[in-house]
Amino acid sequence: MIDFQNVRKSYDDTKVLKGINLNIKDGEFAVLIGPSGCGKTTTLKTINRLIEPDSGKIYIDGQDISTFDPVKLRRSVGYVIQQIGLFPNMTVEENIGIVPKLLKYEEKEIDKIVHEMLEIAEMDYDEYAHKYPYEMSGGQQQRVGVLRALAASPPIVLMDEPFGALDPVTRTTLQNEIVELQKKLKKTIVFVTHDMDEAIKIADNIVFMDEGEIIQVASPEEMLTNPKNDLIRSFMGDRSSDIENQPQVVDDFMYTNISTAYPDYSFKKAIGLMARKKVDTLIVKDRDETFLGVVMIKDINHKLKSGEKSTIGSLIRTDIPTAYSNTNAEESFNELMESEYDYIVVLRANNTLAGIVTQTNIAKSLANAVWGE
Amino acid sequence: MSRFFSLYGEKILISIAQHFLYVVSAVAMAFVIAIVLGVLLSRKPSWANVLLPILSIFQTIPGIVFIGVLFIYNGMATSTVVIALTIYAIFPILKNTYVGLVDVDPALIEAAKGCGMTNFQTIQKVELPLAMPVIFSGLKMSTVYTVSWATLAAMIGMGSLGELIYSGIYSNNNTLILAGAIPAAIMAIFLSWIVDKIKDAVLPRSLKE
Ligand SMILES: Nc1ncnc2c1ncn2[C@@H]1O[C@H](COP(=O)(O)OP(=O)(O)OP(=O)(O)O)[C@@H](O)[C@H]1O
Ligand SMILES: [Mg+2]
């Protein structure tokens, strides 16, 4: 965990950081964004003490970093800079191995790490290890820049506009790769960008800064729906209004083509239906279409094992979350996120079945709202 | 001609050897001193901006004046020659070391710091290697100059190819002059070729033009 407590920094009379308070959790992908000169880079560099605050404290896992040896601190925090920053006098292998080497790992160990790292980026060792940075494309160089930051397995990685210099296609690819990498390696990443698309795409939390202050910290969805001020709204561009034009009640999201069953179906009949429709749950309704609940394949199988033969009526689960079709979408999303089921049953006012909304529905609709069709 | 060689042959060989040793020892010492000073100056560009112009003026003092003054204090000794040559050889290397170092992209220095390099490691692993191409051209210049400055050793009776040249001039013996001048010219070409070879061997391919 990284904890900023009232961190201030001035150059001469210019206040660059005006009391930063920020908490970044372990495994969080935090993205700092804001207008040019708002203090993003300064904030980032206080974490590895390339910049020392005038006042305030920064804690990593509860320890005040001003008490650390800055050199040791930097060896345990990965750092990727915008201009790629690979050392031109070193090969890919030497660049990736530099921090382990500074940490005095054995040659064999370093060699192993370099192999592993190149593998992560799906770069062939024999082809790339002995190349110099100038012999590679910008995208490849920046991949190596990221690998260098990861080589000594730091729990925290700082990235200052790492993809800023890349063409849009390469940029998108690297964004996807870094998100995947973070999921896999569970790093805490602090990432600076001035590109809101990038922030929305990769962030767990977006930290919006302006003139040395944090204006808003929120998830991408939250910042899209509730930007705190006009500046943030303008950074969001048309996206905030997009989401307002998007379906706002569950009705607009739901699937109506669903597999239903009546409570008097035998186990065998229900299983046959599930097999044909390739589902593992059936929505059970009454003959008059009233929603009753759901049955799940695992419950049926359980009963079958114990040799019982009966109808599914006895296995109906009623704890599945439900929503009326005019419910505010956001509300039902929250319910869905917290539920152990991966869908919500949508009901009409008279408790008849209207459809279901799945997590995939939501993800897709949100993606459309955020990134366009 | 053969009479000339039987008369001067040994003298020529000794002079070449002497000359060569003066040059190589002076340039080698100058190289080390210049690198150290260059690194120090690059930490304090404000000092460098004062010091480098002063040194370049100093460089225009004729070598013979300096070697003469040193002769007064230090006497007729190999050290007098080598010290004088070293001091002259420092400047071209120093200037290029300084320029090469301050030209290193600050982003790379920051990347080095960000990786957890100490100041010394940053200089050793990043700044100096990146400045090397420029430093080598200073070294080459300095080597060529020193070959010609080393002729001054003869002025204080310390041999070198200069001895052949000056005695040739006094005795109006053109062959003797050439016997000093031609080996000196060849030595200058040879040593700058050597510097190029060392440069090729030392620099990674990314830093060769
Ligand atoms: N060494 C310095 N001396 C004086 N002012 C500085 C220094 N470093 C940064 N600043 C100023 O501090 C402010 C914040 O700089 P910082 O680099 O943190 O901004 P940023 O948000 O990263 O901007 P950008 O998006 O342009 O990279 C800027 O106004 C900058 O001019
Ligand atoms: Mg910046």
Side-chain angles (χ1 to χ4, degrees):
Chain A
M1 193 174 71
I2 309 170
D3 199 24
F4 282 74
Q5 292 190 2
N6 208 16
V7 171
R8 294 171 190 276
K9 178 76 186 175
S10 302
Y11 291 109
D12 302 323
D13 290 338
T14 326
K15 289 180 181 160
V16 176
L17 299 182
K18 301 173 186 166
I20 298 293
N21 289 293
L22 177 64
N23 190 289
I24 299 168
K25 293 191 189 56
D26 286 342
E28 181 175 333
F29 202 132
V31 174
L32 307 184
I33 193 167
S36 191
C38 68
K40 307 180 290 292
T41 298
T42 309
T43 305
L44 193 75
K45 286 188 192 166
T46 55
I47 301 175
N48 64 0
R49 293 186 60 191
L50 284 172
I51 291 176
E52 301 285 355
D54 299 334
S55 67
K57 294 258 181 246
I58 297 166
Y59 298 89
I60 292 181
D61 296 334
Q63 286 182 290
D64 177 357
I65 63 167
S66 67
T67 63
F68 294 174
D69 171 4
V71 168
K72 285 207 186 107
L73 172 69
R74 289 173 202 144
R75 288 176 189 172
S76 66
V77 175
Y79 183 46
V80 187
I81 63 174
Q82 168 164 5
Q83 301 88 339
I84 298 175
L86 291 182
F87 304 121
N89 55 317
M90 298 183 195
T91 60
V92 166
E93 177 161 39
E94 292 166 331
N95 266 289
I96 295 176
I98 189 73
V99 184
K101 193 168 174 193
L102 292 170
L103 289 166
K104 302 207 163 56
Y105 288 17
E106 281 177 27
E107 281 301 321
K108 264 202 340 237
E109 178 68 15
I110 297 177
D111 194 55
K112 197 174 133 227
I113 291 174
V114 172
H115 277 85
E116 282 170 6
M117 287 294 133
L118 285 172
E119 208 160 289
I120 287 180
E122 287 171 9
M123 292 171 81
D124 182 50
Y125 179 89
D126 292 326
E127 188 179 346
Y128 289 103
H130 304 292
K131 277 192 158 55
Y132 283 94
Y134 81 102
E135 293 164 331
M136 297 188 300
S137 73
Q140 288 169 331
Q141 289 184 38
Q142 194 52 283
R143 280 188 184 88
V144 175
V146 173
L147 297 179
R148 180 176 67 186
L150 295 173
S153 308
I156 298 173
V157 180
L158 312 177
M159 303 190 168
D160 196 350
E161 305 202 27
F163 308 144
L166 303 176
D167 67 273
V169 177
T170 315
R171 195 175 173 144
T172 311
T173 316
L174 266 79
Q175 287 165 352
N176 293 338
E177 289 178 12
I178 197 74
V179 168
E180 220 154 86
L181 206 65
Q182 196 251 358
K183 283 208 189 102
K184 200 158 71 187
L185 304 178
K186 310 255 185 312
K187 303 287 179 194
T188 307
I189 298 184
V190 189
F191 187 108
V192 169
T193 185
H194 58 246
D195 176 359
M196 190 52 100
D197 289 321
E198 184 164 84
I200 291 171
K201 183 167 173 182
I202 63 181
D204 290 326
N205 274 311
I206 301 179
V207 179
F208 196 101
M209 295 183 65
D210 185 29
E211 297 186 358
E213 287 175 302
I214 293 177
I215 308 295
Q216 186 176 12
V217 182
S219 67
E221 296 81 8
E222 171 68 14
M223 200 167 277
L224 277 164
T225 40
N226 291 315
K228 195 158 177 186
N229 66 14
D230 287 343
L231 178 67
I232 301 181
R233 192 166 296 122
S234 77
F235 253 77
M236 292 290 180
D238 300 330
R239 292 183 210 86
S240 323
S241 56
D242 272 6
I243 210 165
E244 277 155 29
N245 297 335
Q246 286 292 317
Q248 287 292 292
V249 292
V250 286
D251 205 11
D252 300 309
F253 288 91
M254 70 186 180
Y255 274 146
T256 48
N257 181 14
I258 42 178
S259 312
T260 55
Y262 295 112
D264 57 1
Y265 277 23
S266 69
F267 288 168
K268 212 177 138 202
K269 187 172 178 181
I271 289 180
L273 183 62
M274 286 173 165
R276 273 201 311 284
K277 302 266 181 172
K278 296 190 170 58
V279 294
D280 49 22
T281 349
L282 293 172
I283 314 279
V284 186
K285 58 186 182 183
D286 230 341
R287 297 284 170 193
D288 64 1
E289 299 287 304
T290 312
F291 169 74
L292 293 174
V294 297
V295 285
M296 301 181 75
I297 183 95
K298 63 178 180 190
D299 295 342
I300 299 178
N301 280 335
H302 196 71
K303 286 281 177 194
L304 277 178
K305 244 185 230 159
S306 58
E308 229 176 287
K309 276 186 187 148
S310 177
T311 59
I312 54 171
S314 58
L315 295 178
I316 295 173
R317 291 178 177 227
T318 52
D319 59 343
I320 179 125
T322 57
Y324 287 106
S325 52
N326 60 351
T327 314
N328 178 296
E330 204 188 328
E331 236 172 75
S332 42
F333 293 166
N334 292 339
E335 201 179 338
L336 178 52
M337 292 305 167
E338 278 152 29
S339 128
E340 58 169 312
Y341 294 94
D342 47 17
Y343 59 90
I344 289 186
V345 177
V346 184
L347 303 177
R348 299 197 188 88
N350 59 0
N351 286 333
T352 59
L353 185 63
I356 61 169
V357 173
T358 68
Q359 287 188 349
T360 325
N361 282 144
I362 295 177
K364 260 197 207 146
S365 316
L366 268 182
N368 286 345
V370 170
W371 301 301
E373 301 294 324
Chain B
M1 202 55 166
S2 68
R3 216 196 102 226
F4 176 82
F5 277 111
S6 67
L7 205 62
Y8 291 106
E10 199 187 327
K11 177 82 202 151
I12 293 172
L13 287 180
I14 290 172
S15 300
I16 290 175
Q18 244 176 350
H19 202 103
F20 186 80
L21 290 177
Y22 286 150
V23 173
V24 171
S25 52
V27 171
M29 289 202 295
F31 184 75
V32 175
I33 296 168
I35 297 275
V36 174
L37 285 180
V39 168
L40 293 177
L41 281 187
S42 69
R43 306 301 103 176
K44 284 256 173 232
S46 54
W47 292 14
N49 291 337
V50 179
L51 214 63
L52 285 177
I54 293 176
L55 286 177
S56 83
I57 293 169
F58 175 84
Q59 199 73 5
T60 62
I61 298 173
I64 186 64
V65 173
F66 185 71
I67 215 168
V69 172
L70 206 59
F71 174 74
I72 296 171
Y73 290 100
N74 201 41
M76 196 175 113
T78 311
S79 59
T80 305
V81 178
V82 175
I83 289 169
L85 290 179
T86 301
I87 286 172
Y88 274 83
I90 287 172
F91 185 73
I93 309 174
L94 172 60
K95 185 167 173 234
N96 280 35
T97 303
Y98 174 77
V99 170
L101 287 174
V102 296
D103 270 1
V104 172
D105 183 352
L108 289 176
I109 296 176
E110 184 163 292
K113 291 252 167 3
C115 283
M117 290 193 200
T118 59
N119 289 332
F120 183 78
Q121 286 167 331
T122 307
I123 293 166
Q124 175 209 6
K125 290 179 192 294
V126 177
E127 294 181 68
L128 275 178
L130 291 176
M132 267 308 154
V134 188
I135 295 176
F136 266 105
S137 51
L139 176 63
K140 194 163 147 181
M141 230 187 305
S142 174
T143 307
V144 173
Y145 290 158
T146 306
V147 171
S148 71
W149 290 326
T151 56
L152 294 175
M155 293 303 215
I156 58 164
M158 289 302 301
S160 84
L161 289 167
E163 194 173 321
L164 301 175
I165 299 171
Y166 296 127
S167 19
I169 292 169
Y170 293 133
S171 58
N172 212 359
N173 180 343
N174 286 346
T175 321
L176 202 50
I177 296 177
L178 290 177
I182 291 173
I186 293 173
M187 194 181 292
I189 294 166
F190 172 73
L191 284 176
S192 72
W193 179 78
I194 292 283
V195 170
D196 280 340
K197 284 289 138 193
I198 296 173
K199 175 174 153 183
D200 280 350
V202 173
L203 291 189
R205 77 175 172 274
S206 56
L207 297 181
K208 295 173 196 164
E209 284 88 354

